[in-house]
Amino acid sequence: MARIASARLSAEPSSPEQHDRRRRILRAAARIGGEKSLERVQMHEVAKAAGVAIGTLYRYFPSKIHLFTAVMAAQVDRFEEGITRPAPGTPPEEAVADLLVRASQQLLAQPVLAASMLHASNAANGATVADTGRIDGTFREIVLRTVGIEVPTAQDVTLVRLLMQCWYGVLQSSLNGRASMADVESDIRLACNLLLAPRSNSH
């Protein structure tokens, strides 16, 4: 089992060279994580594949939890960049469901990597793994923007958090072989309708 994330904070890259090294590490981790489970991934293997010293890897990612949470954050960022406007007249909760179904299909296309990313992000301590905040923040922005809520209330934020937790659970059920892709889509659409339709209809 992967160790719980170290209490040490990750270093943040500042120069272009440091950003490039961090990106190389994430690409290497995603490639290796697509073939091996989180428990079998070795940090020295990732460092070698990324062409960096092991000390550099641990400077940015003190544990595999930090590393694969960051891999998920990068995937969420890329997904956000690829979002297109929903068709005119699409109910907001349907538009969010469409986005989450597409995101699920992308993640589940690499089930070994998806399992590692979900395990890491679920095990991560938000106080010491900064990328958990990036994932939550990006997810919240995507949903609120799609629903059309510009100034969210505390309840809006709570509903989005519940939706995210539900989505994680649905993905995990699929990865555990307990839900088909049809089940995943059906569950996502039901969750979006139950949690978001009342809010979108009130704005």
Side-chain angles (χ1 to χ4, degrees):
M1 177 176 287
R3 290 183 308 165
I4 297 300
S6 162
R8 182 168 68 79
L9 292 170
S10 306
E12 287 297 322
S14 54
S15 69
E17 294 80 9
Q18 290 173 345
H19 280 283
D20 179 64
R21 279 196 289 270
R22 190 179 190 277
R23 281 192 293 269
R24 293 206 315 269
I25 291 168
L26 292 177
R27 284 198 297 269
R31 186 169 64 252
I32 294 169
E35 301 168 354
K36 296 182 179 182
S37 66
L38 187 63
E39 293 178 2
R40 293 179 56 226
V41 173
Q42 300 296 317
M43 294 292 265
H44 68 82
E45 180 182 23
V46 175
K48 182 178 179 181
V52 301
I54 189 68
T56 300
L57 173 57
Y58 276 114
R59 179 169 174 261
Y60 294 122
F61 306 105
S63 72
K64 285 192 282 187
I65 298 297
H66 288 80
L67 178 58
F68 280 89
T69 300
V71 172
M72 183 163 183
Q75 293 230 0
V76 171
D77 288 344
R78 282 195 295 276
F79 180 71
E80 183 186 30
E81 291 167 6
I83 290 175
T84 55
R85 282 182 169 277
T90 304
E93 61 277 8
E94 256 184 56
V96 173
D98 289 342
L99 289 174
L100 293 184
V101 168
R102 284 202 300 276
S104 301
Q105 290 167 340
Q106 288 180 18
L107 286 170
L108 296 174
Q110 296 189 78
V112 178
L113 179 58
S116 294
M117 291 189 298
L118 285 173
H119 178 100
S121 61
N122 284 331
N125 182 328
T128 57
V129 185
D131 283 304
T132 58
R134 279 183 54 212
I135 293 169
D136 292 348
T138 303
F139 187 91
R140 184 167 54 246
E141 275 297 308
I142 290 171
V143 173
L144 292 174
R145 189 168 64 237
T146 304
V147 176
I149 298 174
E150 295 181 7
V151 183
T153 64
Q155 184 181 19
D156 293 329
V157 172
T158 298
L159 290 174
V160 173
R161 185 171 66 248
L162 286 172
L163 178 60
M164 185 174 188
Q165 291 166 350
C166 180
W167 183 48
Y168 277 13
V170 169
L171 291 173
Q172 194 63 63
S173 290
S174 177
L175 291 167
N176 290 344
R178 291 157 56 193
S180 66
M181 194 60 222
D183 294 329
V184 168
E185 178 168 354
S186 174
D187 290 352
I188 287 172
R189 294 193 181 283
L190 178 59
C192 288
N193 192 56
L194 290 173
L195 291 170
L196 300 180
R199 302 303 294 162
S200 66
N201 291 337
S202 68
H203 283 74

